[in-house]
């Protein structure tokens, strides 16, 4: 059986390795859980699919993030979201990831939409925090709305600077045209130019979304390992509890702190926390 809970259990069992100065990619991950590992491309790793998984599907996508502070590093490859369409990822330069998944025995199209997690490790004055956090923690606006709103800011700034005028109707129509990251990721070839252009979207975390921040989320304590999951209501809590008990024995659960935290913009999140010794 494979799932993000199994990966978290692997992290718990080997948590002392998180204290070492090696890169996260060199952590002793249980390779049998993974359908691919391709550091430097999104996703850095993916969990194998459960062929007949109804409660635990597997297939989660994981990005590794190492920081030398308690600030989440910028997201340079893709805008962080809670879920992504696998078809949009496994194309072009990511064909090697698709090959690895197939070699691992995954029927890739059987789970077209995948949950996304970020394994983030931060360091501060001899302390560390490690969070395996669902991408929805950073997705308080839909990707298209985020891009369109940022484009609108640029457009309005330029109109103010130049003194030009556009009606609100025209501005709204222009916004609709710029809602996809793919619009910016394409290489643009210009006639008579000896170079090409490729605009790149980079995203960073605002203070309210910085899960490593002592001020914003004091419940995420120094020297802890945390699994952070979206939890919108009692139904989610029941589902999470059922899933956890498929992976962790009761005595293992008793060694975890289990609680909820309130995101400043995005509801409640369920946290499984364990201490990491720094001695």
């Amino acid at each position: 059986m494979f799932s993000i809970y199994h990966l978290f259990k692997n992290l718990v069992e080997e948590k002392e390795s998180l204290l070492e100065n090696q890169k996260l990619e060199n952590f002793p991950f249980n390779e049998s859980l993974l359908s691919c590992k391709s550091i430097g491309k999104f996703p850095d790793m993916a969990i194998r699919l459960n062929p007949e998984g109804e409660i635990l599907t597997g297939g989660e996508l994981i990005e590794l993030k190492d920081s030398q502070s308690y600030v989440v590093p910028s997201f340079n490859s893709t805008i962080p979201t809670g879920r992504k369409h696998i078809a949009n990822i496994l194309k072009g330069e990511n064909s090697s990831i698709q090959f690895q998944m197939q070699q691992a025995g995954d029927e890739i199209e059987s789970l077209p939409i995948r949950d996304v997690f970020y394994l983030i490790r931060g360091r501060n004055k001899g302390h560390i925090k490690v969070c395996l956090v669902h991408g929805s923690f950073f997705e308080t606006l839909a990707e298209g709305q985020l891009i369109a709103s940022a484009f609108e800011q640029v457009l309005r700034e330029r109109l103010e600077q130049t003194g030009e005028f556009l009606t609100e109707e025209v501005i709204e129509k222009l916004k609709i045209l710029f809602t996809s990251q793919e619009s910016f990721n394409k290489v643009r070839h210009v006639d008579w130019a000896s170079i090409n252009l490729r605009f790149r979207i980079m995203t960073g975390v605002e203070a309210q979304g910085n899960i490593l921040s002592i001020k914003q989320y004091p419940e995420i304590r120094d020297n802890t390992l945390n699994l952070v999951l979206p939890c919108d209501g009692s139904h989610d809590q029941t589902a999470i509890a059922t899933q956890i008990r498929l992976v962790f024995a009761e005595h293992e659960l008793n060694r975890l702190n289990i609680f909820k935290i309130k995101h400043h913009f995005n509801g409640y999140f369920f946290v499984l926390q364990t201490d990491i010794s720094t001695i």
Side-chain angles (χ1 to χ4, degrees):
M1 191 178 291
F2 317 107
S3 73
I4 199 68
Y5 298 102
H6 290 85
L7 179 64
F8 181 65
K9 186 174 183 179
N10 178 202
L11 292 168
V12 171
E13 292 170 346
E14 302 287 348
K15 61 184 180 181
E16 301 304 322
S17 296
L18 293 167
L19 297 171
E20 299 175 5
N21 287 323
Q22 63 180 349
K23 294 180 179 180
L24 270 179
E25 63 195 72
N26 295 324
F27 179 87
F29 293 107
N30 181 350
E31 300 287 341
S32 68
L33 296 175
L34 305 178
S35 65
C36 76
K37 192 174 182 182
S38 185
I39 305 301
K41 296 179 182 178
F42 182 88
D44 288 321
M45 306 189 307
I47 303 296
R48 293 176 65 182
L49 289 172
N50 288 317
E52 298 179 359
E54 295 182 1
I55 299 177
L56 294 175
T57 61
E60 295 91 349
L61 309 177
I62 299 129
E63 182 87 347
L64 306 180
K65 292 288 187 186
D66 241 331
S67 176
Q68 295 305 311
S69 69
Y70 277 176
V71 177
V72 176
S74 60
F75 301 89
N76 298 332
S77 51
T78 61
I79 294 174
T81 59
R83 294 176 176 85
K84 292 187 184 294
H85 288 269
I86 194 67
N88 293 338
I89 295 170
L90 301 183
K91 57 185 180 182
E93 61 184 18
N94 281 351
S95 58
S96 63
I97 295 177
Q98 180 174 353
F99 177 76
Q100 288 185 59
M101 289 180 170
Q102 290 170 336
Q103 288 294 104
D106 279 1
E107 293 184 13
I108 298 171
E109 296 179 359
S110 66
L111 190 65
I113 299 177
R114 306 294 184 90
D115 281 292
V116 180
F117 284 82
Y118 295 86
L119 179 57
I120 302 167
R121 178 175 61 180
R123 300 180 184 274
N124 183 49
K125 299 178 181 178
H127 302 291
I128 73 164
K129 294 183 183 183
V130 183
C131 294
L132 182 58
V133 54
H134 193 267
S136 59
F137 197 89
F138 308 111
E139 186 189 12
T140 54
L141 289 177
E143 180 179 313
Q145 184 181 355
L146 176 67
I147 296 172
S149 297
F151 174 77
E152 180 185 8
Q153 288 183 19
V154 175
L155 180 58
R156 290 188 184 277
E157 287 173 6
R158 290 299 296 146
L159 290 174
E160 183 177 347
Q161 291 166 0
T162 62
E164 298 291 333
F165 174 78
L166 291 177
T167 66
E168 289 298 318
E169 181 182 6
V170 171
I171 290 175
E172 288 300 314
K173 287 182 178 179
L174 287 172
K175 279 177 59 178
I176 293 172
L177 296 176
F178 293 94
T179 58
S180 172
Q181 187 174 359
E182 291 184 356
S183 300
F184 298 89
N185 282 350
K186 292 181 180 178
V187 175
R188 304 297 177 177
H189 302 279
V190 180
D191 289 345
W192 302 104
S194 59
I195 58 173
N196 56 53
L197 287 177
R198 180 177 181 177
F199 297 100
R200 186 182 185 189
I201 291 179
M202 295 179 63
T203 52
V205 173
E206 295 278 11
Q208 297 87 344
N210 182 12
I211 194 165
L212 300 179
S213 169
I214 298 170
K215 179 180 179 181
Q216 301 295 335
Y217 300 100
E219 304 92 338
I220 307 300
R221 298 181 290 105
D222 283 340
N223 308 316
T224 59
L225 166 63
N226 305 268
L227 175 61
V228 185
L229 305 161
C231 178
D232 294 330
S234 59
H235 175 76
D236 282 354
Q237 291 186 57
T238 301
I240 291 171
T242 300
Q243 292 166 347
I244 291 171
R245 282 178 165 78
L246 290 176
V247 180
F248 288 90
E250 199 65 34
H251 71 277
E252 293 172 320
L253 286 175
N254 290 337
R255 292 199 292 266
L256 298 175
N257 296 319
I258 301 176
F259 54 91
K260 290 193 295 183
I261 59 173
K262 177 69 167 63
H263 191 288
H264 293 284
F265 300 139
N266 211 20
Y268 285 93
F269 283 76
F270 203 74
V271 180
L272 279 70
Q273 184 181 85
T274 184
D275 292 328
I276 305 175
S277 172
T278 57
I279 299 176

